[in-house]
């Protein structure tokens, strides 16, 4: 029998051949670990819906970050779980707020050996759970929120953040934050913009992790993107680039690989993707039942996100994947 084309299986024959022709490589350098740090606890608290992930004390966070540095993971992104919340979310910019305390501790302990990022939002800190200030009518007030984001950015920068990551999907957030940082001589602090962030049902476990529930059964559809829209994501990305974003992010990842692939040729700055809590939890849940091999599926997800075009991945698999990649 003769084939009209070359036999494509030839180059798949051995592990060395496959390694040689691999188009996409997943490396420890691509991984960013999200970490939760909670105020007012004495020992770490496991998060039931995110197996293997903890709400950390300052001390347990330090231990985790030391392990990540040893594994070669280049960056972490911090999320705070404050002891008390208020209407405006003031814990987000309080110099003694939990993320600011955590940033100072990590900077003191580890210097520049790992990139310190902080999620920049209000939802973890507000009683109503929205990402911004509410008007009397209960809408999220875009422009009033920008003033608070600027305060949060300055507090995080002063505490030692290398990169702040606005995740609230307010229009103009990147520009407001850039202006505030530059005015206070934090021109070396970068902005990773959650540029194309969808109003996804995949953030459920994250909201357990940060004890957030949105008041009155509300949702974020008034500010996060509709999963039906792809072109709109490109417009979000263009605007954030024009406002000065240093890194662009697409979130979630697996159901939005088309967005990552379409964003790639538009974006010459680094492109990040967030493999979110629900994506991780689904893999872990199925693996716990013995239905899939969790680590293999996790690595397949991460490889697919790289193949779609992302340079870096925020993922709860960071530590596990780094361990596997270092083997
Ligand atoms: C907002 C924020 C969220 C996530 C990251 N930043 C939650 C939201 O938008 O409701 C979700 C991350 C995840 O699900 O892993 N501060």
């Amino acid at each position: 029998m003769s084939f009209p084309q070359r036999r494509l299986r030839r180059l798949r024959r051995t592990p060395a051949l496959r390694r040689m022709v691999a188009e996409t490589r997943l490396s420890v350098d691509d991984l960013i670990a999200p970490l939760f740090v909670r105020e007012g606890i004495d020992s770490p608290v496991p998060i039931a819906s995110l197996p293997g992930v903890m709400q950390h004390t300052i001390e347990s966070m330090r231990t985790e970050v030391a392990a990540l540095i040893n594994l070669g993971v280049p960056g972490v992104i911090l999320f705070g779980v404050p002891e008390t919340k208020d209407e405006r979310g003031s814990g987000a910019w309080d110099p003694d707020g939990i993320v600011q305390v955590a940033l100072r501790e990590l900077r003191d302990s580890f210097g520049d050996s790992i990139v310190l990022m902080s999620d920049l939002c209000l939802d973890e800190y507000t009683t109503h759970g929205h990402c911004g200030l509410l008007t009397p009518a209960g809408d999220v007030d875009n422009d009033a929120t920008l003033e608070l984001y600027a305060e949060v950015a300055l507090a995080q920068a002063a505490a030692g953040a290398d990169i702040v990551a606005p995740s609230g999907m307010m229009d103009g957030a990147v520009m407001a934050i850039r202006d505030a940082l530059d005015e206070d001589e934090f021109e070396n602090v970068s902005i990773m913009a959650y540029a194309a962030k969808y109003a996804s049902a995949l953030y459920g476990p994250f909201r357990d992790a940060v004890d957030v529930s949105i008041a009155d059964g509300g949702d974020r559809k008034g500010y996060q993107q509709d999963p039906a829209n792809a072109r709109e994501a490109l417009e979000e990305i263009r605007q954030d680039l024009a406002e000065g974003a240093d890194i662009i992010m697409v979130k979630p990842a697996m159901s939005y690989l088309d967005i990552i692939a379409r964003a790639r040729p538009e974006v010459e700055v680094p492109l990040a993707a967030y493999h979110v809590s629900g994506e991780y939890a689904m893999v872990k849940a199925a693996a716990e039942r013995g239905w899939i091999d969790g680590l293999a599926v996790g690595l397949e997800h991460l490889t697919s996100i790289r193949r779609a075009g992302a340079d870096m991945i925020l993922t709860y698999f960071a530590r596990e994947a780094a361990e596997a990649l270092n083997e």
Side-chain angles (χ1 to χ4, degrees):
M1 189 161 128
S2 72
F3 285 81
Q5 299 150 326
R6 69 187 68 85
R7 289 175 184 262
L8 290 169
R9 288 186 51 188
R10 281 197 286 256
L11 295 178
R12 298 176 194 148
R13 205 168 43 81
T14 69
L17 276 167
R18 291 195 290 272
R19 194 154 47 85
M20 193 179 77
V21 302
E23 298 173 31
T24 305
R25 291 171 209 279
L26 179 66
S27 146
V28 175
D29 295 333
D30 308 327
L31 306 173
I32 296 166
L35 297 178
F36 301 102
V37 55
R38 179 168 164 187
E39 195 173 32
I41 52 169
D42 298 326
S43 51
V45 180
I47 302 158
S49 53
L50 288 175
V53 182
M54 305 279 171
Q55 291 178 329
H56 282 291
T57 64
I58 294 286
E59 201 42 54
S60 71
M61 179 192 64
R62 210 200 314 264
T63 309
E64 180 69 13
V65 171
L68 291 165
I69 291 171
N70 266 334
L71 287 163
V73 172
V76 293
I77 180 163
L78 302 187
F79 295 90
V81 188
E83 208 164 6
T84 55
K85 307 188 186 217
D86 60 31
E87 192 70 19
R88 290 161 57 82
S90 62
W93 65 86
D94 181 341
D96 295 319
I98 184 65
V99 161
Q100 282 69 256
V101 171
L103 285 167
R104 281 196 296 268
E105 289 284 336
L106 293 178
R107 180 64 70 206
D108 281 354
S109 302
F110 303 114
D112 285 335
S113 52
I114 191 158
V115 179
L116 300 180
M117 302 178 223
S118 44
D119 186 75
L120 195 170
C121 200
L122 296 180
D123 62 323
E124 292 93 353
Y125 304 90
T126 53
T127 41
H128 46 74
H130 277 292
C131 294
L133 272 183
L134 296 187
T135 63
D139 293 326
V140 175
D141 185 334
N142 191 88
D143 297 11
T145 299
L146 297 186
E147 292 173 27
L148 297 187
Y149 283 2
E151 295 301 319
V152 182
L154 294 178
Q156 293 178 343
D162 293 300
I163 301 179
V164 298
S167 63
M169 291 299 281
M170 295 302 129
D171 286 316
V174 172
M175 187 187 282
I177 291 166
R178 186 72 270 160
D179 283 351
L181 288 171
D182 289 352
E183 259 171 46
D184 271 29
E185 295 178 15
F186 290 118
E187 51 283 275
N188 287 331
V189 172
S190 303
I191 300 175
M192 174 166 70
Y194 285 70
K197 175 173 177 182
Y198 285 87
S200 171
L202 289 162
Y203 308 149
F206 173 92
R207 293 187 192 151
D208 294 341
V210 292
D211 294 332
V212 168
S213 58
I214 307 175
D216 305 322
D219 57 45
R220 306 206 196 289
K221 293 179 184 170
Y223 39 105
Q224 298 180 348
Q225 278 189 257
D226 184 340
N229 295 352
R231 294 192 303 267
E232 187 189 17
L234 300 180
E235 187 53 25
E236 282 282 0
I237 289 168
R238 280 183 209 115
Q239 289 203 13
D240 282 357
L241 283 171
E243 290 176 30
D246 300 288
I247 301 175
I248 289 292
M249 191 207 294
V250 173
K251 172 182 176 202
M254 291 306 293
S255 303
Y256 299 84
L257 292 178
D258 60 322
I259 308 299
I260 297 172
R262 287 175 71 166
R264 178 71 279 174
E266 307 273 336
V267 171
E268 304 299 347
V269 300
L271 181 61
Y274 200 142
H275 186 256
V276 301
S277 57
E279 300 178 285
Y280 174 84
M282 288 193 292
V283 176
K284 287 287 171 183
E288 269 173 21
R289 293 187 164 203
W291 290 351
I292 60 173
D293 174 341
L295 177 61
V297 174
L299 291 171
E300 188 174 329
H301 277 192
L302 300 179
T303 302
S304 300
I305 296 164
R306 292 272 296 119
R307 190 193 63 233
D311 297 304
M312 57 186 91
I313 309 168
L314 293 81
T315 171
Y316 303 96
F317 276 113
R319 183 170 173 169
E320 210 181 325
E323 283 165 355
L325 292 167
N326 281 329
E327 258 172 26

